[in-house]
Amino acid sequence: MTVRQVLLRKGGEVYAIHPEATVLEALEKLAQHDIGALLVMEGERLLGIFSERDYARKLVLLGRFSKDTRVEEVMTRELVTVGPGTELAEAMRLMTEHRVRHLPVVEGGKVVGVISIGDAVKAIITEQEVLIEELSRYVMENR
């Protein structure tokens, strides 16, 4: 299964925020769309990722961030990206290796989506359930 197949299943919407937006604005947008991360973009330029998990970790560990903090102060700047044709196993390997939960999907220099570890796991489980159903049907028909 490829990253493109997962993006097609989930609709491929890309949610982004400007680096000068406040953390409160970012958290509101995350809640509104029920997602775990936003791309931090200036125009079409990808600058980083704002993850509620990373923000919470920094808030707890460093204790100096507030809801008025600008997104650029807490965003993850180390960007690991994948292309839509990347196999899901490779995307998961990259997430594990770089300890990130979201990967921007870039095609032709343009962001076309985001894949998360949750998306990947859900896709794998769904694929396995379909396989199990097909095998069960085959067994029942060939008794």
Side-chain angles (χ1 to χ4, degrees):
M1 178 177 287
T2 64
V3 169
R4 184 184 314 276
Q5 291 168 308
V6 175
L7 290 179
L8 289 173
R9 280 186 186 171
K10 73 177 221 176
E13 294 240 19
V14 178
Y15 297 102
I17 197 155
H18 194 274
E20 292 182 14
T22 66
V23 166
L24 178 60
E25 292 169 312
L27 292 172
E28 286 174 339
K29 196 167 195 175
L30 290 173
Q32 176 187 4
H33 299 290
D34 194 25
I35 53 176
L38 295 170
L39 297 177
V40 181
M41 298 182 74
E42 205 162 36
E44 295 211 2
R45 197 167 130 237
L46 178 61
L47 302 175
I49 294 179
F50 175 84
S51 160
E52 64 184 1
R53 182 174 182 239
D54 294 338
Y55 170 67
R57 184 181 297 141
K58 288 177 182 177
L59 180 66
V60 169
L61 294 176
L62 303 175
R64 66 173 200 261
F65 300 108
S66 74
K67 64 181 181 185
D68 299 318
T69 299
R70 289 194 334 243
V71 168
E72 65 190 347
E73 295 178 50
V74 292
M75 71 183 187
T76 302
R77 293 175 190 276
E78 179 190 331
L79 284 172
V80 180
T81 63
V82 292
T86 304
E87 287 295 322
L88 202 51
E90 175 64 8
M92 292 180 75
R93 186 193 68 73
L94 286 169
M95 285 186 243
T96 303
E97 179 183 321
H98 294 278
R99 294 183 170 189
V100 295
R101 299 174 65 86
H102 301 85
L103 293 175
V105 182
V106 178
E107 183 173 42
K110 195 171 190 180
V111 178
V112 295
V114 177
I115 185 163
S116 72
I117 193 75
D119 297 333
V121 169
K122 190 184 304 181
I124 290 168
I125 290 170
T126 302
E127 194 173 79
Q128 295 301 315
E129 287 173 345
V130 168
L131 181 61
I132 290 168
E133 285 176 23
E134 288 174 4
L135 287 172
S136 294
R137 195 175 310 115
Y138 176 79
V139 168
M140 295 304 278
E141 291 171 359
N142 294 295
R143 276 188 167 181

